Amino acid sequence: MTNSVIKMVQAIEANYGMNPNNWPENDTRLKALHKRFSDPTRNVEREYKSNQLYKGQQPHREQKLRKAQRLLDTTNLPKYKIADQVGYNKDYFSALCTDGYLDDSKWYISRKHLHNYEYYCDDKLIAEGTINQIAMKLGKSPSSIRGCTLSSYKKYKHEHTYRLVKIR
């Protein structure tokens, strides 16, 4: 997607020169770029007539963005559920995050597996740390470390039984 935007801008520059002041406003490529990268919080089409503003009241779209940001910062919900709670389409919500209108850095930190675990083999502690640290210590992949928590692993007998216990 980024390459197509760069190619489009290069084609516009080839046609009209490097100075954006010389570019015509009715060019369909410029309209498409403007529509893609315009500020969604100021999009007039998203404002409904039924949302009358009273003195001191925030506009509806800003309330939705603030609520979405608060949910991203404080909950561990998947993004599609946050988008549903706020009232956004999941693709539009994702675009808000990628375009920088919503900061999802705290959400990513809480969603990453930064928890500490203890990894046991037959009730003997082998390693402890995050899943990635345990995997590096044992020379296994993180998915094989997580595999011992699956119900399909637990329903069969094994020569050595592995357990992964969350400690924090």
Side-chain angles (χ1 to χ4, degrees):
M1 182 165 73
T2 306
N3 289 336
S4 63
V5 172
I6 291 171
K7 288 180 182 178
M8 189 181 306
V9 171
Q10 288 174 342
I12 293 169
E13 288 176 346
N15 289 348
Y16 304 114
M18 297 291 286
N19 187 355
N21 295 331
N22 296 336
W23 297 355
E25 292 184 22
N26 60 355
D27 191 327
T28 56
R29 298 170 296 182
L30 285 172
K31 287 181 181 179
L33 284 174
H34 181 68
K35 184 178 179 183
R36 170 71 174 98
F37 295 108
S38 66
D39 184 359
T41 61
R42 296 177 190 255
N43 194 344
V44 179
E45 298 170 8
R46 296 230 176 249
E47 196 167 339
Y48 301 102
K49 291 180 182 177
S50 63
N51 295 336
Q52 298 293 327
L53 297 178
Y54 299 102
K55 187 175 183 179
Q57 184 182 8
Q58 292 180 341
H60 185 65
R61 61 184 176 264
E62 289 179 17
Q63 288 176 343
K64 288 172 76 172
L65 282 174
R66 286 180 195 268
K67 181 178 180 183
Q69 186 62 56
R70 183 174 31 80
L71 289 172
L72 279 172
D73 291 344
T74 58
T75 64
N76 200 15
L77 294 172
K79 283 186 178 180
Y80 74 92
K81 287 188 178 179
I82 294 174
D84 189 42
Q85 284 185 5
V86 176
Y88 284 133
N89 176 318
K90 65 181 181 177
D91 297 326
Y92 182 72
F93 185 79
S94 177
L96 287 172
C97 292
T98 54
D99 290 345
Y101 297 109
L102 292 173
D103 180 23
D104 55 358
S105 58
K106 288 183 183 176
W107 181 84
Y108 273 116
I109 290 171
S110 69
R111 295 288 289 186
K112 283 185 182 178
H113 298 285
L114 298 178
H115 305 289
N116 285 334
Y117 295 90
E118 291 178 341
Y119 192 63
Y120 293 93
C121 176
D122 297 329
D123 296 328
K124 180 183 174 189
L125 180 64
I126 297 176
E128 61 182 297
T130 65
I131 291 180
N132 289 337
Q133 290 170 344
I134 293 171
M136 285 175 43
K137 287 177 191 174
L138 301 177
K140 295 183 175 183
S141 69
S143 60
S144 67
I145 300 295
R146 281 190 211 98
C148 68
T149 62
L150 299 173
S151 61
S152 59
Y153 176 83
K154 293 176 183 176
K155 69 181 176 182
Y156 297 107
K157 288 193 173 192
H158 300 279
E159 184 179 336
H160 297 288
T161 305
Y162 292 95
R163 279 188 310 130
L164 186 66
V165 179
K166 186 177 180 179
I167 58 175
R168 179 179 63 103

